[in-house]
């Protein structure tokens, strides 16, 4: 690619930060909220590091004024948040007005601050009562999701323009039902494959209903992506390993949404687990309901091989519970290190992979469909989050974000229709199976006092958002990350 060094982003580029309900809200049993699968899972001994849970989290539920003011101070033009199904329709049943009122107040405060609400309907907090009835392995859950979506629209549809159905259905299906690392903590490949299809169906049914109700809504879906490279591109086994990971991570979701069909090779790979048997007449037409934007979550790519290595990469949380592979049809595939720098999660830092991903999406999916792209999550956990004299010098995180923003800016210069970037995350929070052991925020949270302290990365991000361009790069701290931009 031709390097573009002007640092500018397209006019109107949207700058934001993201959170998720269970990770930040707290107030787990207030105002009618009932258990989600994450409340239940966090109580399982050994499921979450240190026995942590989201009962209090960042206490966002009680700190709306403070947190919206914080967003203003960071020059955020948009806040990506998720609504809690367990708060709005507790136990998956009747609407809870008090739960919806919280999001109504949040929306009003954001609009008063001239911050665009970017709503995600599902970020993994399925009501436990629905899981008890089979969860996402039960087709009925997709219909319950569409009902829930309309309940949210009943109250927020007059003020919220951007609606995302699901966040990372790959994690919901495969990390929740196949590997067991996430709630509901199951290890059943057939249920995971069923969940895959029913999550996509839920997206399609909700998109149809919302589109029918208000054609002017901005409707989209957020998928997480990897960039799977064969360790040896000349080795057919490694090429097949990359095909399997790409198929079961990326294409199994992107193809039904954009092409109205599952890839033939993925159908064959997943045939032993019954994917084809879940597809009914009309399902793929619903799933491929046209959307306005695709949210892209990117953290890293991976090099894969079928040759068992001396050292393989594993990034699962240190759970006392045994976990399995999230890939039903990739036994004997290994992810191996490439000598790249890594984050505190053990994830390789690969900003050039984001550029390649965006180019591919524009070429194969969103470009032909005329669909806009937004980076809806990108960020990193590092061990550089200590507050010293009121300052957090998280230079590694700053370098990570800078390098990935450079990749986004380059993709835009290369013709990708990418319209915005949401940092993950606004503030440190409950990091799922890792509990509070990993910090992704551009704002530090002292969990004992709930004191918020913008980090160096947050202050830098605020200036980038204000200027809509990257500043001149220096060779200071974090340059080892920046230098890895391809």
């Amino acid at each position: 690619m031709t390097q573009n060094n002007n640092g500018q982003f397209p006019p109107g580029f949207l700058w934001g930060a993201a959170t998720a309900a269970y990770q930040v809200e707290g107030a787990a049993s207030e105002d009618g909220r009932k258990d989600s699968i994450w409340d239940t899972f966090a109580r399982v001994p050994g499921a979450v590091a240190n026995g942590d849970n989201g009962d209090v989290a960042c206490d966002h539920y009680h700190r709306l004024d403070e947190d919206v003011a914080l967003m203003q101070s960071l020059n955020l033009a948009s806040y990506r948040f998720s609504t809690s199904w367990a708060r709005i329709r507790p136990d998956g049943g009747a609407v809870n007005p008090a739960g919806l009122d919280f999001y109504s107040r949040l929306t009003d405060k954001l609009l008063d601050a001239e911050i665009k609400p970017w709503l995600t309907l599902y970020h993994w907090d399925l009501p436990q009562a629905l899981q008890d009835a089979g969860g996402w392995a039960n087709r009925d859950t997709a219909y319950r999701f569409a009902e829930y979506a309309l309940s949210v629209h009943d109250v927020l549809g007059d003020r919220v323009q951007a609606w995302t159905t699901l966040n990372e259905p790959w994690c919901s299906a495969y990390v929740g039902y196949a590997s067991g690392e996430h709630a509901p903590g199951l290890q059943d490949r057939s249920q995971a494959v069923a969940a895959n299809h029913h999550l996509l169906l839920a997206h399609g049914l909700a998109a149809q209903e919302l589109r029918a109700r208000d054609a002017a809504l901005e409707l989209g879906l957020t998928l997480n992506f990897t960039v799977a490279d064969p360790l040896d591109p000349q080795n057919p086994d490694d090429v097949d390993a990359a095909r399997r990971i790409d198929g079961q991570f990326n294409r199994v979701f992107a193809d039904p949404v954009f092409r109205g069909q599952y890839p033939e090779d993925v159908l064959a790979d997943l045939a032993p687990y019954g994917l084809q048997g879940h597809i009914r007449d009309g399902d793929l037409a619903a799933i491929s309901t046209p959307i306005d934007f695709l949210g892209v979550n990117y953290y890293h790519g991976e090099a894969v091989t079928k040759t068992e290595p001396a050292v393989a990469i594993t990034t699962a949380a240190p759970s006392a519970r045994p976990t399995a592979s999230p890939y039903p049809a990739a036994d004997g595939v290994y992810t191996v290190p490439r000598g790249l720098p890594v984050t505190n999660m053990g994830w390789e830092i690969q900003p050039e992979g984001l550029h390649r991903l965006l180019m591919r999406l524009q070429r194969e999916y969103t470009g032909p469909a005329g669909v806009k792209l937004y980076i809806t999550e990108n960020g990193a956990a590092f061990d550089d989050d200590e507050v010293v004299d009121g300052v957090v010098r998280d230079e590694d995180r700053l370098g990570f974000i800078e390098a990935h923003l450079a990749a986004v800016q380059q993709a835009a210069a290369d013709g990708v229709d990418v319209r915005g970037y949401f940092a993950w995350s606004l503030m440190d929070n409950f990091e799922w199976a890792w509990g509070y052991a990993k910090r992704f925020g551009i704002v530090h949270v002292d969990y004992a006092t709930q004191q918020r302290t913008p980090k160096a990365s947050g202050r830098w991000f605020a200036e980038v958002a204000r200027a809509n361009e990257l500043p001149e790069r220096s060779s200071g701290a974090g340059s080892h990350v920046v230098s890895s931009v391809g």
Side-chain angles (χ1 to χ4, degrees):
M1 65 185 178
T2 302
Q3 188 68 30
N4 179 18
N5 292 316
N6 66 19
Q8 293 184 341
F9 288 83
F13 193 82
L14 188 67
W15 295 94
T19 67
Y22 189 74
Q23 293 182 272
V24 298
E25 285 179 3
S29 58
E30 292 186 37
D31 294 334
R33 184 186 180 278
K34 298 289 184 67
D35 278 355
S36 74
I37 54 175
W38 270 97
D39 296 280
T40 302
F41 187 66
R43 297 186 194 115
V44 176
V48 176
N50 303 314
D52 293 338
N53 60 55
D55 288 358
V56 176
C58 304
D59 199 31
H60 183 56
Y61 192 82
H62 298 114
R63 296 173 183 267
L64 289 187
D65 288 341
E66 175 185 357
D67 288 343
V68 172
L70 179 64
M71 297 173 210
Q72 278 188 298
S73 75
L74 296 175
N75 298 325
L76 300 186
S78 186
Y79 174 48
R80 176 176 175 254
F81 63 94
S82 74
T83 50
S84 169
W85 193 345
R87 196 179 294 285
I88 291 170
R89 295 190 73 139
D91 291 337
V95 172
N96 172 33
L100 274 166
D101 182 64
F102 167 72
Y103 299 105
S104 185
R105 288 185 286 113
L106 171 60
T107 296
D108 285 344
K109 290 180 188 298
L110 291 171
L111 292 174
D112 287 346
E114 298 184 342
I115 297 171
K116 180 176 182 174
W118 194 282
L119 187 153
T120 300
L121 286 162
Y122 187 72
H123 199 131
W124 308 356
D125 48 358
L126 183 72
Q128 179 60 40
L130 292 182
Q131 179 58 40
D132 292 342
W136 287 112
N138 180 356
R139 183 181 176 91
D140 185 65
T141 302
Y143 296 92
R144 302 291 77 77
F145 177 76
E147 293 174 352
Y148 154 66
L150 290 180
S151 298
V152 180
H153 187 270
D154 285 341
V155 173
L156 301 182
D158 60 332
R159 287 161 291 157
V160 176
Q161 186 65 24
W163 292 72
T164 306
T165 52
L166 307 176
N167 176 79
E168 298 186 354
W170 181 83
C171 289
S172 297
Y174 292 106
V175 186
Y177 288 82
S179 81
E181 184 185 349
H182 283 184
L186 303 182
Q187 295 179 25
D188 186 313
R189 293 177 171 184
S190 294
Q191 285 200 47
V193 167
N196 178 333
H197 182 68
H198 296 149
L199 281 153
L200 281 171
L201 180 61
H203 155 73
L205 294 172
Q208 284 182 330
E209 294 287 352
L210 291 169
R211 182 74 74 200
R213 181 176 284 192
D214 185 352
L217 291 181
E218 296 176 71
L219 280 176
L221 169 71
T222 281
L223 300 176
N224 53 328
F225 292 93
T226 191
V227 177
D229 292 320
L231 181 64
D232 179 359
Q234 305 306 314
N235 183 329
D237 284 344
D238 288 3
V239 171
D240 185 66
R243 178 197 66 78
R244 286 175 179 272
I245 299 303
D246 180 61
Q248 292 171 66
F249 201 118
N250 300 330
R251 292 181 289 119
V252 75
F253 293 100
D255 276 39
V257 170
F258 286 96
R259 297 173 178 168
Q261 59 187 16
Y262 285 99
E264 289 297 325
D265 65 313
V266 177
L267 281 173
D269 288 344
L270 296 178
Y273 308 106
L275 175 57
Q276 187 71 55
H278 297 293
I279 305 169
R280 298 185 187 175
D281 289 346
D283 283 6
L284 289 164
I287 292 166
S288 58
T289 297
I291 56 176
D292 301 303
F293 66 85
L294 175 67
V296 175
N297 291 0
Y298 175 84
Y299 292 94
H300 63 91
E302 52 203 310
V304 296
T305 180
K306 286 188 177 179
T307 302
E308 186 170 1
V311 178
I313 293 177
T314 177
T315 57
S319 171
R321 299 171 67 254
T323 58
S325 169
Y327 299 104
D331 291 337
V333 173
Y334 304 92
T335 298
V336 293
R338 290 173 284 188
L340 296 174
V342 298
T343 71
N344 195 29
M345 301 291 287
W347 299 343
E348 292 186 329
I349 299 171
Q350 190 192 358
E352 62 83 22
L354 178 55
H355 179 269
R356 278 197 283 149
L357 171 63
L358 291 173
M359 296 296 288
R360 178 193 182 185
L361 292 173
Q362 178 74 25
R363 181 178 64 251
E364 298 183 13
Y365 295 105
T366 56
V371 169
K372 298 171 285 190
L373 284 164
Y374 289 85
I375 308 303
T376 40
E377 285 184 31
N378 177 242
F382 286 106
D383 283 329
D384 55 3
D385 291 284
E386 185 180 0
V387 181
V388 179
D389 297 328
V391 177
V392 180
R393 302 189 183 280
D394 62 331
E395 299 297 337
D396 285 333
R397 180 174 296 101
L398 191 160
F400 180 100
I401 295 174
E402 182 180 29
H404 286 79
L405 280 174
V408 173
Q409 192 271 338
Q410 185 64 54
D414 290 340
V416 175
D417 188 14
V418 56
R419 302 288 188 95
Y421 177 99
F422 292 80
W424 183 269
S425 59
L426 172 64
M427 56 185 137
D428 297 333
N429 55 50
F430 177 84
E431 182 49 39
W432 306 114
W434 286 94
Y436 297 99
K438 304 295 183 182
R439 293 177 177 267
F440 278 83
I442 58 174
V443 173
H444 180 276
V445 176
D446 182 326
Y447 296 118
T449 66
Q450 294 297 340
Q451 175 70 36
R452 277 87 156 121
T453 303
K455 303 176 186 179
S457 61
R459 298 183 186 281
W460 176 87
F461 189 77
E463 286 305 302
V464 173
R466 180 190 59 77
N468 200 42
E469 66 179 352
L470 289 173
E472 289 288 330
R473 296 187 195 169
S474 69
S475 58
S479 61
H480 68 285
V481 175
V482 175
S483 67
S484 65
V485 178

